Amino acid sequence: MLLVYTWLKIFIPITILSLAVLVPVNWTNSTLDNSRNIQFSDIDDLSISNIPKGSQRFWAHLGMSYVFTFWTCYILLKEYGIVASMRLHFLASAKRRPDQFTVLVRNVPPDPDETVSELIEHFFLVHHPDHYLMHQVVYDAKKLGKLVQERKQMKNWLDYYELKYERNSSERPTCKQTGFWGLHGKKVDAIDFYTSKIDKLSKDEARERENITTNPKYIMPAAFVSFRTRWGAAVCAQTQQTRNPTSWLTEWAPEPRDVYWENLAIPFVSLTIRQLIMTVALFFLTFFYIVPISLVQYLANIEGLEKAAPFLKPLTEIHVVKSFIQGFLPGIVLKIFLIFLPTILMIMSKFEGFISLSALQRRSASKYYIFILVNVFLASIITGTAFEQLDSFIHQSANEIPKTIGVSIPMKATFFITYIMVDGWAGIAGEILRLIPLITYHLKNSFLVKTEKDREEAMDPGSIQFGASEPRIQLYFLLGLVYAAITPILLPFILIFFGLAYVVFRHQIINVYNQEYESAAAFWPDVHRRIITALVISQMLLIGLLSTNEAADSTPVLIPLPVLTIWFHRFCKNRYKSAFSKYPLQEAHIKDTLERAREPNLDLRAYLLNAYVHPVFKDEENNNRVSSDEEKELENALVPTKRQSCKNTPVSSKHGCSPSPLLPS
């Protein structure tokens, strides 16, 4: 919510200034240049398109561009300092957590005389003798994970049939022995069948566990190394361990609930190759996606639709249908094309090998922002304009084409206004109603829910997806900065969206969504960088637009703006970014000293013993049981909200996670 609140503080003054200064400047008698047969809309009367070429009024737009840039940078500088201070305060006041004492070590070099575990222990006993405590090697447990998951499914079916038998003990329940979902095969006693399946899977699990722990090929050259003090962990995590910079690589371990265990088994040497493959894949996905989007955008206007389907011409001439096609259809089509994109980008991020859920979200957000920047913003301006002005392009000289594109940039304001209403306003309304989760729950409840565990999973609201929501909001910020000095009438639509987003998402985060992990504002540097990118793009587009309007005297005055903006970004990065990547040794030493004074008999080894054990090595009883000490630690780790996840909230919690009544037969 800090992000939306920051954008509100930026956009409220910008909107007021734009409407107060630029709208009167733009609103003159219609002087739109139709000499090149370019199609204009009524909204262009309130944009920079309505100013005559070479007019002195362009100086107003130039001056307001400086005002908008300086105000945005001023707010960003203040917010960067506030967020950095809040992060350091949170880390200093946070209760004891396993990740404060633990470092992830990767790319451990092989040794013919020692196992990976022995080599890690000897290395840290030699180089960190006063602070090393223990370690937990990383195993490739994918096969074991499948067995554990299959046994859980069998146990769920067994619970269902036992419950069914308890309600009607006169007849033993039966099921079909083979076939997909038990659709065919010989009928057998269901309880006996699933009991035997569970026994067999339990034996397979035991054999696989023994095989993993004894077979060297399942032991990865990585480990979670824990230290006696936070100071020792901070020194290890933030320093180079050997003269070879590619071995014994150390970094802060994610908190246990933030670990993405599937990627820990990926060899470190393959990570670079994986990232290269995904970079190439993202390039082709981004730029080849322009083709269908541009084609559909072309067909989603009156001229394109009538050319592709002449028989629809009588229908498209109806005023209501024509208004819908011109106003809302392009935005709806674009929204449909982007529905499955976040899932695709998350799969790509997982393939790259990031080891924490927060890192996966940040990487997915970065990919998504690049995608919508190219395909939603740039493609809608460039390719959409090219299709709409195709006839004008064909019948003019080549040196006139850049001018046509420059003039037509404000013309896409109508499309972006409808896109904000379709994607932004309607998206906020959908966030309140949560129709898709509601429909999904009822479908699961009708066809898939068989036990109380199924009901709990079906009711789980999940967590807010930063990788999909943040880049979309960043797009509206980009649109606001671009059109603030070009078409100010677009800003109220964005301001309304930010206001609604703040109110709605604040409610959803407090009362609906689960807290999946705690990143301590680690996302902010990425957010800051994308805002700076939006500023530079808006400045470059304004320079290009003024250069096509015979404002040669004023255009060079804008050239310092991108340079100053990039310098400002480098200043903020050098000043504050270390607070988001490093933990001050002074803070670590203070916390260690206070903890030793308050808890002199603390058994840190017992506290960290099972913190970073792979979930498949923990039996079901340990997974479901939460001790009183763990309850306190968990409550301290979570941000206080009115609702907490049933997965993250202890059984005896007061936050409303008590089990619901058993399902009827």
Side-chain angles (χ1 to χ4, degrees), residues 224-243:
F224 290 100
V225 180
S226 298
F227 294 82
R228 302 180 188 277
T229 61
R230 297 173 180 84
W231 189 90
V235 170
C236 181
Q238 298 167 180
T239 55
Q240 182 174 316
Q241 303 304 308
T242 64
R243 66 173 63 184

Side-chain angles (χ1 to χ4, degrees), residues 292-509:
I293 287 181
S294 301
L295 180 61
V296 174
Q297 290 274 30
Y298 169 64
L299 296 177
N301 62 70
I302 297 296
E303 294 77 12
L305 193 59
E306 289 180 351
K307 290 180 181 178
F311 60 89
L312 294 177
K313 187 172 182 178
L315 182 64
T316 58
E317 294 300 325
I318 301 175
H319 179 71
V320 176
V321 176
K322 185 175 182 179
S323 299
F324 174 79
I325 293 175
Q326 290 179 329
F328 288 96
L329 187 59
I332 294 174
V333 170
L334 185 58
K335 178 66 176 177
I336 293 173
F337 266 80
L338 299 177
I339 287 178
F340 299 104
L341 183 63
T343 303
I344 296 173
L345 297 179
M346 177 58 72
I347 294 174
M348 295 172 63
S349 298
K350 290 180 179 179
F351 181 81
E352 287 186 77
F354 293 95
I355 61 165
S356 65
L357 300 175
S358 56
L360 289 172
Q361 291 285 347
R362 289 199 297 272
R363 185 64 173 177
S364 297
S366 178
K367 291 187 177 73
Y368 197 16
Y369 182 75
I370 294 173
F371 187 92
I372 62 176
L373 174 63
V374 175
N375 286 280
V376 177
F377 180 70
L378 296 179
S380 296
I381 287 180
I382 299 174
T383 60
T385 298
F387 278 123
E388 292 174 6
Q389 313 299 338
L390 185 59
D391 181 70
S392 176
F393 274 40
I394 294 175
H395 297 90
Q396 66 183 3
S397 60
N399 60 350
E400 292 292 320
I401 293 178
K403 296 182 179 180
T404 303
I405 294 178
V407 171
S408 58
I409 289 177
M411 297 169 54
K412 297 305 294 184
T414 303
F415 165 75
F416 285 123
I417 288 175
T418 60
Y419 181 79
I420 292 169
M421 290 189 290
V422 170
D423 182 72
W425 294 7
I428 293 298
E431 182 63 38
I432 299 174
L433 298 175
R434 288 179 59 83
L435 288 177
I436 294 179
L438 179 63
I439 295 172
T440 303
Y441 164 71
H442 284 292
L443 290 176
K444 289 181 178 180
N445 193 35
S446 301
F447 300 104
L448 300 179
V449 172
K450 299 183 181 297
T451 65
E452 187 57 40
K453 184 178 180 180
D454 292 338
R455 167 73 67 83
E456 182 181 334
E457 292 179 353
M459 293 180 64
D460 185 13
S463 60
I464 188 169
Q465 296 300 311
F466 183 88
S469 58
E470 189 270 342
R472 288 170 53 198
I473 298 177
Q474 287 275 19
L475 172 65
Y476 304 133
F477 191 89
L478 170 65
L479 294 177
L481 290 177
V482 169
Y483 282 96
I486 295 176
T487 309
I489 197 63
L490 183 137
L491 293 183
F493 294 89
I494 297 178
L495 191 59
I496 292 172
F497 166 77
F498 281 145
L500 293 174
Y502 178 77
V503 174
V504 171
F505 280 107
R506 184 177 184 274
H507 171 272
Q508 300 297 86
I509 291 174

Side-chain angles (χ1 to χ4, degrees), residues 44-239:
D44 291 310
D45 291 336
L46 299 176
S47 74
I48 199 173
S49 301
N50 204 35
I51 298 180
K53 294 185 179 300
S55 173
Q56 294 297 315
R57 298 191 179 194
F58 284 119
W59 284 98
H61 293 267
L62 186 148
M64 294 309 297
S65 178
Y66 269 90
V67 172
F68 299 156
T69 299
F70 289 153
W71 173 252
T72 302
C73 291
Y74 171 72
I75 296 296
L76 283 180
L77 181 63
K78 289 185 61 178
E79 291 299 315
Y80 217 141
I82 292 173
V83 174
S85 177
M86 292 172 60
R87 172 180 168 85
L88 293 176
H89 176 72
F90 174 82
L91 295 177
S93 60
K95 302 298 182 179
R96 181 173 59 248
R97 297 191 316 190
D99 54 291
Q100 297 172 351
F101 300 88
T102 307
V103 169
L104 177 62
V105 181
R106 310 182 77 176
N107 208 25
V108 177
D111 191 304
D113 301 323
E114 291 183 318
T115 64
V116 173
S117 180
E118 294 172 343
L119 182 61
I120 292 173
E121 183 173 13
H122 290 172
F123 180 87
F124 284 96
L125 282 175
V126 171
H127 298 287
H128 300 269
D130 298 329
H131 300 280
Y132 169 75
L133 179 63
M134 55 180 289
H135 72 277
Q136 174 65 50
V137 295
V138 174
Y139 297 100
D140 185 358
K142 293 180 181 179
K143 184 178 179 181
L144 179 59
K146 294 179 181 178
L147 292 174
V148 171
Q149 185 64 29
E150 186 178 358
R151 185 172 65 85
K152 288 181 179 179
Q153 293 175 357
M154 297 297 105
K155 183 65 170 60
N156 195 40
W157 279 104
L158 178 61
D159 292 341
Y160 166 69
Y161 283 114
E162 286 180 343
L163 179 61
K164 189 175 182 181
Y165 181 62
E166 287 177 5
R167 292 174 176 171
N168 184 13
S169 58
S170 61
E171 182 181 358
R172 297 274 293 185
T174 60
C175 67
K176 292 185 178 181
Q177 187 174 7
T178 59
F180 179 72
W181 280 6
L183 296 178
H184 61 84
K186 180 183 177 181
K187 279 192 175 182
V188 295
D189 185 282
I191 296 178
D192 294 339
F193 173 72
Y194 284 106
T195 301
S196 62
K197 289 279 289 185
I198 291 173
D199 291 340
K200 181 179 181 301
L201 288 171
S202 298
K203 294 177 182 178
D204 292 341
E205 281 185 41
R207 285 194 297 267
E208 184 64 20
R209 281 195 182 96
E210 184 179 359
N211 186 30
I212 289 175
T213 54
T214 57
N215 193 335
K217 75 174 185 178
Y218 288 103
I219 301 177
M220 306 304 297
F224 290 100
V225 180
S226 298
F227 294 82
R228 302 180 188 277
T229 61
R230 297 173 180 84
W231 189 90
V235 170
C236 181
Q238 298 167 180
T239 55

Side-chain angles (χ1 to χ4, degrees), residues 260-280:
Y260 187 69
W261 295 96
E262 287 79 357
N263 281 353
L264 286 176
I266 299 176
F268 184 81
V269 293
S270 68
L271 294 180
T272 304
I273 300 175
R274 285 170 172 261
Q275 292 177 4
L276 176 61
I277 293 174
M278 285 300 100
T279 301
V280 176

